Amino acid sequence: MIRIPEYQTPALRKKNLRLVWLLIGFALFIFFTSFPFWTGLFRIVGNQAAG
Amino acid sequence: MSTTTLSHDEAHHHDAPKGWRRWLFSTNHKDIGTLYLLFALTMLFLGGASAMLIRMELFMPGIQLVDPDLYNNLVTNHALIMIFGAVMPAAAGLANWMIPMMIGAPDMALPRMNNLSFWILPAAATMLILSFVVPFFPGGGTQINTGWTLYPPLSVQVGMSMDFLIFAIHLLGISSVLASINIIVTLLNMRAPGMALMKMPMFCWTWLVTAFLLILVVPVLAGGVTMLLFDRHFGTSFFDAAGGGDPVLFQHLFWFFGHPEVYILLLPSIGVLSHVIPAFSRKPLFGYNSMVGSMLAVATIGMVVWAHHQYTIGMSMGAVTYFMIGTIIISIPVGLMIFNFIATMWRGSMTFETPMLFAIAIVLMFTFGGLSGVMLAVVPADMQYHDSMFVVAHFHYVLMPGAVFGLFAGVFYWLPKWTGHMYDERLGKIFFWTNVIGFNITFFPQHFLGLAGMPRRIIDYNVMFTEFNVISSVGAIIFGLSHLLLLYIVIKTIRGGKKAESRSWEGAKGLEWELDSPPAFHTWTVAPQVK
């Protein structure tokens, strides 16, 4: 892989990785919220909290 | 379109690595782009072979070549291979090749992840092909006779080949999401100085929107098939009414992915058109801002109209009315895009090289597919058309011109840049005409078949449908064989031909045309300044 100082700065690397993790997190959030048992679980917890 | 002050430092060239390591360990966006395109071409022929078998079977009424379950598996495989194996990787190939060169970046933001995104694909394709092959072996279970929609309860009852398919979809999804993340990070963080978002080439804009759509919807499909896997093997009842589940839930999850997927396939081709039409009309793109706005509108509205694929499941009147109106509203931004393309051509100094011919074919034929889409969006009409050959004709008129012809236009437009050689224009035009005529002979009669009541995904049909089916199958032979000419043209261009200039087309604009043809292994090692 070519090393180009202009594009190998720690600041750009950090900026890139921050966005990567944000997008991975977003994709995982969408993945897990597509499972309906979460809504069921929240409803059960909500009902119990309400007594 | 932006203008540039070049400060490109050619002295930074490295030679490409030699041998198989160059491809297996590649982190170079151009090499990975080439890998994607070769993979897509291979899968195009594989998916095409299954389509040929389907059409040969439907040549005459009765059962000729394959049994009904195998026929349905061919339908399933044709769709999955073409969508996930051919069109999406081809669009990713164009993105890999062109995005860094267009925005003045030396490579994608995450080159190693780029390598991973590609090399997941052959593994996924192997699983996908195994899902087709496994039922032929003793103990391999039944064929996947569900179609690409994989609706339960049928998909829960299918044999182990369905598990191969589910894992293939997982792998394909991971590959798509990783590639999308890479594209988003590249476009947001790696643009040349001075290239604001609203100066970005339209192909990059279309890919930015496509990548966000992929991240939004692919995990939902992954969730859906994961639940399917759990229902099949771990005793859950997500989609089993007897256990308190609901099979219609899967349909909602599938189409929440499936409908935006249409725009995922379509938008990169719209991006290609936004370069091809101005280049061969010798005019700037009409309405850059409105193109971006339309694209965002299409993506946003396209996310919330999925249930127009499921009108017949028995939704409430309010729900079907909402989905019908939402679907019809999408035709406004899509129409605006088409209007912009026509306005770009208006009074331009047009010439009709192969990419432009494909572009004009798209404008005409995709509009036709869009109009039959409006017919299908109308609830009472859809009750009649649903699951008929009319639907098959409609989505092939949307996806072949809208997605595949756009990719062909892109390949012919950028082939001189990639290879350093001009392709044979005469052969290019022969390919265009055989391809377009073959396509129309194949799919136009299917509108009549559908309106007359021929159902889709059924191996046999009433003798009254014979004539149009014969015409359709003859067209399919012309259409299918025409792709061999594409293969020949590509190989011929790679091997030699007239030397391409840096700016291969007179009207071409953009940073990529400032680079040599073919470009050096590493380009834009010093960022260009965009004014």
Side-chain angles (χ1 to χ4, degrees):
Chain A
M1 194 158 65
I2 191 172
R3 301 278 168 197
I4 304 164
E6 194 178 342
Y7 288 95
Q8 300 288 327
T9 61
L12 183 59
R13 184 183 158 77
K14 196 174 165 188
K15 195 175 161 191
N16 285 348
L17 288 178
R18 195 169 51 209
L19 188 53
V20 169
W21 284 117
L22 191 71
L23 292 169
I24 288 175
F26 183 61
L28 288 174
F29 170 75
I30 301 278
F31 175 72
F32 283 113
T33 50
S34 68
F35 288 83
F37 61 74
W38 293 114
T39 47
L41 189 66
F42 291 144
R43 201 178 304 126
I44 292 166
V45 172
N47 289 343
Q48 283 189 340
Chain B
M1 187 61 67
S2 53
T3 57
T4 61
T5 307
L6 293 176
S7 54
H8 177 51
D9 185 357
E10 294 288 339
H12 271 276
H13 294 173
H14 286 210
D15 282 336
K18 299 277 185 276
W20 58 271
R21 286 168 200 277
R22 168 175 178 176
W23 303 103
L24 188 62
F25 301 131
S26 181
T27 51
N28 182 288
H29 73 98
K30 300 180 190 78
D31 281 358
I32 294 173
T34 304
L35 286 170
Y36 266 114
L37 288 168
L38 291 176
F39 176 83
L41 195 61
T42 311
M43 297 303 271
L44 179 76
F45 281 100
L46 211 56
S50 53
M52 288 294 103
L53 268 171
I54 292 166
R55 275 318 321 168
M56 291 311 98
E57 176 56 53
L58 293 177
F59 191 83
M60 297 295 280
I63 296 174
Q64 265 84 231
L65 302 171
V66 293
D67 66 65
D69 271 348
L70 179 56
Y71 174 84
N72 284 338
N73 200 358
L74 284 168
V75 173
T76 309
N77 258 268
H78 167 67
L80 290 168
I81 288 176
M82 285 303 196
I83 291 169
F84 290 107
V87 179
M88 286 170 74
L94 295 187
N96 263 285
W97 250 104
M98 300 316 298
I99 285 175
M101 296 206 298
M102 283 178 158
I103 62 169
D107 209 308
M108 300 296 279
L110 305 133
R112 292 188 188 92
M113 197 162 92
N114 205 15
N115 176 291
L116 178 66
S117 305
F118 173 75
W119 282 110
I120 288 173
L121 278 184
T126 309
M127 297 286 272
L128 190 57
I129 293 163
L130 278 174
S131 77
F132 181 77
V133 173
V134 159
F136 290 104
F137 289 92
T142 51
Q143 303 273 356
I144 302 176
N145 48 9
T146 59
W148 85 296
T149 48
L150 313 178
Y151 284 174
L154 191 54
S155 54
V156 177
Q157 295 157 8
V158 170
M160 70 157 96
S161 48
M162 181 58 77
D163 302 321
F164 282 88
L165 186 55
I166 288 171
F167 282 123
I169 289 172
H170 278 135
L171 289 175
L172 290 161
I174 291 167
S175 169
S176 295
V177 169
L178 291 180
S180 301
I181 288 172
N182 209 348
I183 287 169
I184 292 170
V185 177
T186 306
L187 287 171
L188 294 184
N189 291 353
M190 302 283 283
R191 296 191 311 279
M195 185 180 278
L197 273 177
M198 290 309 282
K199 281 184 181 176
M200 204 161 62
M202 192 53 71
F203 180 71
C204 300
W205 255 114
T206 54
W207 252 109
L208 185 62
V209 176
T210 303
F212 271 111
L213 274 179
L214 274 163
I215 293 178
L216 270 166
V217 301
V218 167
V220 177
L221 176 69
V225 295
T226 305
M227 284 182 260
L228 201 57
L229 193 72
F230 274 58
D231 273 12
R232 285 170 57 80
H233 295 294
F234 303 116
T236 57
S237 311
F238 289 112
F239 308 126
D240 181 5
D246 184 1
V248 173
L249 171 67
F250 182 86
Q251 297 188 20
H252 283 293
L253 292 170
F254 181 86
W255 286 113
F256 186 81
F257 150 82
H259 190 67
E261 174 68 14
V262 175
Y263 304 108
I264 288 165
L265 301 174
L266 185 69
L267 286 176
S269 291
I270 294 284
V272 172
L273 249 63
S274 306
H275 292 265
V276 169
I277 290 178
F280 294 101
S281 303
R282 291 155 184 85
K283 278 176 67 188
L285 179 68
F286 183 90
Y288 177 98
N289 292 349
S290 66
M291 281 296 283
V292 174
S294 303
M295 214 161 30
L296 293 171
V298 165
T300 310
I301 306 169
M303 288 286 301
V304 291
V305 294
W306 71 90
H308 63 222
H309 295 267
Q310 315 160 233
Y311 284 150
T312 53
I313 61 171
M315 283 183 285
S316 68
M317 186 57 79
V320 290
T321 308
Y322 158 76
F323 283 111
M324 176 173 75
I325 293 170
T327 305
I328 294 172
I329 284 174
I330 292 188
S331 59
I332 297 170
V334 174
L336 191 59
M337 288 180 187
I338 299 292
F339 170 78
N340 282 348
F341 290 141
I342 295 169
T344 306
M345 287 188 257
W346 180 253
R347 292 185 172 174
S349 302
M350 288 167 70
T351 50
F352 300 95
E353 287 83 352
T354 309
M356 185 61 165
L357 288 175
F358 272 112
I360 293 168
I362 294 164
V363 170
L364 292 171
M365 288 157 60
F366 172 67
T367 304
F368 185 81
L371 286 174
S372 58
V374 176
M375 291 169 71
L376 285 162
V378 178
V379 180
D382 184 73
M383 296 293 171
Q384 172 73 20
Y385 308 143
H386 188 85
D387 253 345
S388 75
M389 290 299 280
F390 186 85
V391 179
V392 178
H394 156 70
F395 69 71
H396 279 93
Y397 264 88
V398 170
L399 289 180
M400 266 308 291
V404 183
F405 284 4
L407 297 171
F408 288 161
V411 167
F412 280 101
Y413 183 57
W414 287 313
L415 203 54
K417 172 59 62 189
W418 300 338
T419 62
H421 303 125
M422 298 302 289
Y423 62 87
D424 187 329
E425 189 60 56
R426 192 178 62 90
L427 287 181
K429 283 181 176 158
I430 293 172
F431 169 63
F432 167 77
W433 286 111
T434 47
N435 198 260
V436 166
I437 291 170
F439 170 80
N440 280 289
I441 296 173
T442 309
F443 291 104
F444 199 75
Q446 293 179 9
H447 290 101
F448 304 126
L449 288 170
L451 290 175
M454 180 177 162
R456 66 167 173 157
R457 293 176 174 174
I458 306 286
I459 189 169
D460 195 6
Y461 53 82
N462 193 298
V463 286
M464 67 183 270
F465 302 125
T466 307
E467 285 82 1
F468 279 130
N469 269 298
V470 170
I471 295 169
S472 185
S473 292
V474 170
I477 295 169
I478 300 169
F479 183 51
L481 290 178
S482 74
H483 293 90
L484 294 174
L485 187 56
L486 170 71
L487 185 65
Y488 176 71
I489 295 168
V490 170
I491 293 171
K492 189 170 179 247
T493 312
I494 292 169
R495 289 168 68 93
K498 189 182 153 203
K499 179 92 183 74
E501 295 170 10
S502 300
R503 191 177 301 280
S504 310
W505 306 107
E506 185 196 349
K509 298 265 191 325
L511 285 179
E512 70 275 25
W513 301 106
E514 309 291 343
L515 298 166
D516 292 338
S517 300
F521 191 60
H522 294 294
T523 43
W524 300 130
T525 49
V526 174
Q529 195 70 41
V530 178
K531 286 181 184 168

